[in-house]
């Protein structure tokens, strides 16, 4: 047999040890580290020089100690610059790159008419609510204008505002005319009453005069 500690025996032993070190699986440690560091497993870095110590860690507490010691590290986020995207967006805001060749959807798909309608309705209805709450219009005018807005009578706020002012002026004019008419009617009624009273007085005086004779 061979002598103990011979050179060939030493070489075999060393090779076996190296193979053992290479075969250590750190799958569990990587999973626990990912949970502790609150990241994915691909973001976990395990120190290749401390494989033996890392392989001994089989609990989250041990992993936390390794993190503290710097043997387990969370890799930094990959840089994904948006500078080019920002430049392109700024150019598009100015109207660049929006010609016929760049358009993929139909006009209706790019900006639906239903969306434009909803925006217009919301703007006009909000304006009507504001006017009603501010007592600029009463509930009857509000309802009338609301139905007209729904019926596509007003295309924007300016037209609606002008219509409100015109309607209010018309109503004030009608009210003033009605008041004048009422005042004239009251005046005429009072004049008629006075006339009747005078006639009755004259008749009474005539009767008294005849009785005295």
């Amino acid at each position: 047999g061979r002598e103990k500690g011979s050179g060939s025996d030493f070489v075999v032993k060393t090779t076996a040890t190296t193979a053992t070190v290479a075969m250590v699986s750190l799958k569990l440690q990587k999973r626990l580290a990912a949970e502790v560091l609150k990241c994915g497993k691909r973001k976990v870095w395990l120190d290749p020089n401390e494989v033996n110590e890392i392989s001994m860690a089989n609990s989250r507490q041990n992993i936390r100690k390794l993190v503290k010691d710097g043997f387990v590290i969370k890799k930094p986020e990959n840089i994904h610059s948006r500078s080019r995207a920002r430049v392109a967006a700024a150019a598009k805001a100015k109207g660049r790159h929006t010609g016929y060749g760049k358009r993929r959807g139909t006009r209706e798909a790019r900006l639906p008419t239903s969306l434009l309608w909803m925006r217009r309705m919301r703007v006009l209805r909000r304006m009507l609510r504001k006017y009603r709450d501010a007592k600029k219009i009463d509930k009857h005018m509000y309802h009338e204008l609301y139905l007209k807005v729904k019926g596509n009578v007003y295309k924007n706020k300016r037209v609606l505002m002008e219509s409100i002012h015109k309607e209010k002026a018309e109503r004030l004019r009608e009210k003033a005319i009605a008041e004048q008419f009422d005042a004239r009617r009251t005046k005429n009624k009072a004049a008629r009453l006075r006339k009747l009273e005078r006639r009755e007085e004259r008749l009474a005086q005539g009767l008294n005069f005849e009785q005295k004779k």
Side-chain angles (χ1 to χ4, degrees), residues 22-161:
M23 289 298 288
V24 170
S25 173
L26 301 177
K27 201 171 180 182
L28 169 69
Q29 286 77 11
K30 186 160 272 200
R31 179 175 66 78
L32 292 175
E35 287 184 24
V36 168
L37 296 171
K38 293 186 173 61
C39 65
K41 284 184 279 191
R42 63 190 285 272
K43 287 287 179 189
V44 174
W45 179 82
L46 305 175
D47 192 340
N49 300 322
E50 303 293 339
V51 171
N52 287 334
E53 192 170 342
I54 291 170
S55 64
M56 298 291 287
N58 59 0
S59 68
R60 290 172 178 78
Q61 190 174 349
N62 293 344
I63 293 291
R64 285 192 194 96
K65 188 175 183 304
L66 292 173
V67 170
K68 193 176 179 184
D69 295 341
F71 299 155
V72 176
I73 298 172
K74 181 181 178 181
K75 290 180 189 174
E77 295 291 330
N78 293 331
I79 294 169
H80 184 185
S81 174
R82 276 197 55 79
S83 62
R84 288 183 298 280
R86 277 195 290 271
V87 168
K92 198 166 269 193
K94 289 180 182 174
R96 316 287 189 266
H97 319 297
T98 52
Y100 291 123
K102 290 288 184 182
R103 300 178 196 175
R104 298 298 294 272
T106 62
R107 181 186 294 175
E108 183 67 18
R110 285 164 65 84
L111 187 59
T113 50
S114 62
L115 181 65
L116 292 172
W117 171 263
M118 283 191 290
R119 282 180 187 168
R120 183 148 58 100
M121 287 299 104
R122 285 169 184 169
V123 165
L124 296 176
R125 286 173 180 176
R126 195 182 304 125
M127 185 181 166
L128 284 177
R129 275 200 306 275
K130 198 164 74 173
Y131 269 47
R132 184 186 61 183
D133 295 341
K135 300 288 189 291
K136 289 183 180 178
I137 56 174
D138 60 2
K139 63 181 182 179
H140 305 293
M141 189 186 281
Y142 170 84
H143 186 63
E144 188 182 319
L145 292 170
Y146 187 96
L147 292 177
K148 281 186 176 179
V149 164
K150 187 179 180 181
N152 199 21
V153 174
Y154 310 112
K155 66 176 183 178
N156 54 39
K157 280 171 71 174
R158 183 179 56 77
V159 175
L160 177 58
M161 201 182 298

